[in-house]
Amino acid sequence: MNEPLRDNENDLEAVNKALAFSVAWNLDPLLFGDYPPEMCHYLGSELPQFSPEETEYMKGSIDFVGVNHYTTLYAKDCMHSRCAEGGDHAIRGYAYTTGERDGVPIGEPNGMLPCYVVPRGIEEMINYLKKRYHNMPMFVAENGYASLEHQSTQMQDLLHDTKRVEFHKAYLASLARAIRNGADVRGYFIWTLMDDFEWMHGYSTRFGLYYVDPMTLVRIPKLSAAWYKNFLSSHSLDNKETTNTSLVENQHALVSKSINERAETY
């Protein structure tokens, strides 16, 4: 999602451009058969043209919108003011995006920049899609928190992932507000069940509810896995049982037992 860097008309328009040149660029042709009007306005004849047959073929060709949402960034206009290099490119909609304003981050940074924790963003994104695409069915296909592993990071710290629990509590509450206000959201998927290989970040960035040792493939549930299981079964955003000391201690005991058993195997 995007929000204006400054409360002025140009940056408000930069938000519209940034969303049109990313989200709507993908979805408008599939639902309406043409590029977003914002792209047509700013790029004109530089855009390729769809034939009437292509338009008819594409229009309404998807049954639902899948939403991968991780963060919210500020958008700054680059047509009427100077921007950092790259922000004035046509492919970016002449808008520059950043996670900071006057040196203050838009939310708490997590382990994969430029991702910041901004829970309101998922509600804003769902509402944007709801309005633009006439509230067609939506699935949140990816939403997750990355913890960054350093050489000095202890496994116990990765397993006691309270920040991931708080992230999903806040984002699910924000999503619930959008649903209560009429958004047709049919499902929600956490990214991801297990720690995985994250492209350029490799195994150093962990999104999983389950800890995975890349050397042994040992898989251990984190605190967030226990919380999410309880959340799904109790429908409560405030289940505190998964964050108390005794549960953490029990989890650590299970971890040690699992590691010892796997070590004997290997």
Side-chain angles (χ1 to χ4, degrees):
M1 188 56 193
N2 295 110
E3 296 179 353
L5 181 66
R6 306 292 177 191
D7 187 17
N8 59 52
E9 186 176 342
N10 289 337
D11 284 359
L12 286 169
E13 177 59 20
V15 169
N16 294 329
K17 289 186 293 183
L19 291 171
F21 278 67
S22 55
V23 178
W25 188 358
N26 292 282
L27 290 173
D28 271 31
L30 299 174
L31 286 160
F32 306 137
D34 202 355
Y35 291 113
E38 298 90 339
M39 294 187 76
C40 297
H41 174 75
Y42 288 104
L43 300 184
S45 61
E46 294 183 27
L47 280 173
Q49 300 296 308
F50 295 119
S51 69
E53 293 79 14
E54 288 171 331
T55 294
E56 194 61 31
Y57 179 76
M58 290 187 299
K59 195 185 302 181
S61 60
I62 60 175
D63 299 315
F64 65 90
V65 173
V67 185
N68 293 1
H69 179 81
Y70 289 93
T71 195
T72 297
L73 298 173
Y74 293 120
K76 179 183 184 299
D77 168 70
C78 295
M79 294 190 74
H80 303 94
S81 57
R82 296 182 62 182
C83 280
E85 185 178 357
D88 56 350
H89 288 180
I91 199 169
R92 292 177 175 268
Y94 308 105
Y96 172 70
T97 57
T98 175
E100 295 186 357
R101 178 167 58 196
D102 300 327
V104 180
I106 192 171
E108 181 184 356
N110 68 31
M112 184 178 280
L113 291 175
C115 289
Y116 299 83
V117 180
V118 190
R120 65 181 180 273
I122 195 169
E123 180 182 9
E124 293 170 350
M125 175 54 71
I126 293 297
N127 287 337
Y128 171 82
L129 295 168
K130 170 187 169 185
K131 181 178 180 180
R132 190 172 188 114
Y133 302 114
H134 311 303
N135 201 21
M136 78 176 306
M138 290 173 274
F139 289 83
V140 177
E142 294 184 20
N143 177 235
Y145 178 90
S147 54
L148 187 60
E149 183 177 1
H150 302 285
Q151 287 185 342
S152 59
T153 303
Q154 298 296 312
M155 185 178 66
Q156 304 290 8
D157 295 328
L158 294 171
L159 293 173
H160 190 198
D161 58 342
T162 54
K163 287 189 175 182
R164 181 171 289 105
V165 172
E166 294 305 319
F167 174 95
H168 285 294
K169 279 185 180 181
Y171 273 78
L172 282 164
S174 180
L175 179 62
R177 286 194 297 271
I179 294 171
R180 284 196 296 270
N181 288 327
D184 188 5
V185 178
R186 305 286 182 91
Y188 173 87
F189 297 86
I190 283 181
W191 187 265
T192 180
L193 176 64
M194 294 180 286
D195 291 337
D196 65 322
F197 185 86
E198 286 288 339
W199 299 102
M200 291 187 300
H201 297 268
Y203 295 109
S204 65
T205 302
R206 296 178 176 272
F207 278 93
L209 302 181
Y210 279 71
Y211 172 91
V212 177
D213 185 331
M215 301 301 294
T216 64
L217 300 185
V218 169
R219 303 171 186 181
I220 304 165
K222 301 176 187 177
L223 191 65
S224 56
W227 173 79
Y228 196 49
K229 178 181 179 181
N230 282 0
F231 166 74
L232 292 175
S233 60
S234 68
H235 308 291
S236 171
L237 284 169
D238 298 311
N239 193 320
K240 297 180 180 179
E241 292 181 10
T242 60
T243 57
N244 63 31
T245 304
S246 61
L247 182 119
V248 174
E249 290 173 348
N250 291 338
Q251 188 82 337
H252 289 178
L254 290 172
V255 167
S256 299
K257 183 175 182 291
S258 175
I259 291 173
N260 290 334
E261 290 174 351
R262 293 304 287 261
E264 290 175 4
T265 303
Y266 282 93

